[in-house]
Amino acid sequence: MSDFDIFIGETTGTAILILLGGGVVAAVVLKRSKARDAGWLAISFGWGFAVLTGAYLSAGVSGAQLNPAVTLGLAIEGGTKWSDVPLYLGSQLLGAIIGAFLVWVTYMGQFTAHLTDPEILAAQPATEGLVDQRTAPQAGPVLGVFSTGPEVRNVLQNVLTEIIATFVLVIAILTQGLNNAGNGLGTIGVLVTALVVVGIGLSLGGPTGYAINPARDLGPRIVHALLPLPNKGGSDWSYAWIPVVAPLIGGAAAGGFYNWVLA
């Protein structure tokens, strides 16, 4: 596949993935949304369908990697050329930024209603007067629409959770989901991967919100930081390295494990 194929496929597929994935979170958590309070089951299945749509859209163009951790795992396994890795990663990050921006466009009125609601604002944890401001909650009231965050802030646990969940995703792709060229998802592989994402959300997503994709977390977090949202709060940059670094470790571990044990 050409550089143009990789750029178009990964940018478009990741944008659709984030639009639908972030969109289901917005639908569930924002005031004045018809799906408000639909719950974790809706979010888990919504992200699975988001993967299904974005991956089927781009599978025939770029292999539908849509995730730097998947790209790294495939590079270590040998299915993706190392020289293509920077283009994959840059395209995925750009697509995630575009998708997150489109979530804001789609739910613009709901974001405003949510962020100007006195009840929502009053429920935010206060940070004033804390002894150590580095431990203060830095997540604004709508950051969860864009990026992930832990329920319990424990760096070791949070890192291990993301490593384990991403390992499951990437090893499933390597063993069940590759196309004939071995550089991305095949037709059945897209469906398998979407179901694995649902399973990860339901079983391993509780502690951290299962980023399992550095672009999925970093791109929307950048959009949250830049958007002119009233009372949006912080973007929690003190946590932001975990959903970037830990999934990359999990993806690399899966690629190495596949080569050393399963190949």
Side-chain angles (χ1 to χ4, degrees):
M1 59 187 69
S2 68
D3 288 351
F4 182 76
D5 289 336
I6 294 172
F7 174 75
I8 290 298
E10 294 298 298
T11 300
T12 306
T14 309
I16 295 297
L17 164 64
I18 300 303
L19 171 60
L20 298 183
V24 71
V25 180
V28 170
V29 305
L30 294 180
K31 283 211 164 189
R32 306 292 294 276
S33 165
K34 293 182 181 295
R36 181 167 167 79
D37 295 328
W40 189 250
L41 194 64
I43 290 174
S44 296
F45 274 95
W47 273 106
F49 292 140
V51 170
L52 189 76
T53 306
Y56 269 130
L57 183 150
S58 59
V61 182
S62 65
Q65 297 183 19
L66 311 184
N67 181 339
V70 173
T71 298
L72 181 59
L74 282 171
I76 291 172
E77 179 267 341
T80 294
K81 295 186 293 184
W82 283 102
S83 59
D84 288 337
V85 168
L87 180 58
Y88 270 102
L89 268 56
S91 302
Q92 292 157 2
L93 181 60
L94 176 61
I97 289 172
I98 293 170
F101 177 77
L102 292 176
V103 172
W104 172 67
V105 171
T106 305
Y107 282 90
M108 193 181 304
Q110 282 71 29
F111 275 113
T112 300
H114 194 88
L115 290 171
T116 55
D117 186 279
E119 182 180 352
I120 297 297
L121 297 177
Q124 290 306 296
T127 61
E128 294 80 2
L130 293 177
V131 174
D132 187 351
Q133 286 295 317
R134 292 174 298 176
T135 65
Q138 297 297 316
V142 296
L143 181 60
V145 174
F146 296 91
S147 296
T148 61
E151 286 300 300
V152 175
R153 281 185 181 263
N154 181 302
V155 171
L156 180 60
Q157 180 198 341
N158 301 154
V159 168
L160 289 175
T161 298
E162 288 291 334
I163 290 174
I164 292 167
T166 310
F167 181 92
V168 171
L169 171 65
V170 177
I171 203 66
I173 290 173
L174 293 175
T175 55
Q176 306 167 52
L178 295 182
N179 56 27
N180 291 334
N183 60 0
L185 294 176
T187 302
I188 300 301
V190 171
L191 179 59
V192 170
T193 301
L195 293 174
V196 169
V197 169
V198 174
I200 290 171
L202 293 175
S203 58
L204 305 176
T208 62
Y210 70 116
I212 61 175
N213 182 336
R216 169 263 177 277
D217 199 273
L218 179 59
R221 196 181 299 268
I222 292 171
V223 172
H224 176 271
L226 295 176
L227 281 176
L229 295 168
N231 307 312
K232 68 179 180 180
S235 300
D236 200 5
W237 289 107
S238 64
Y239 178 79
W241 67 273
I242 292 177
V244 173
V245 174
L248 290 174
I249 295 172
F257 181 82
Y258 181 85
N259 281 345
W260 298 330
V261 178
L262 299 178

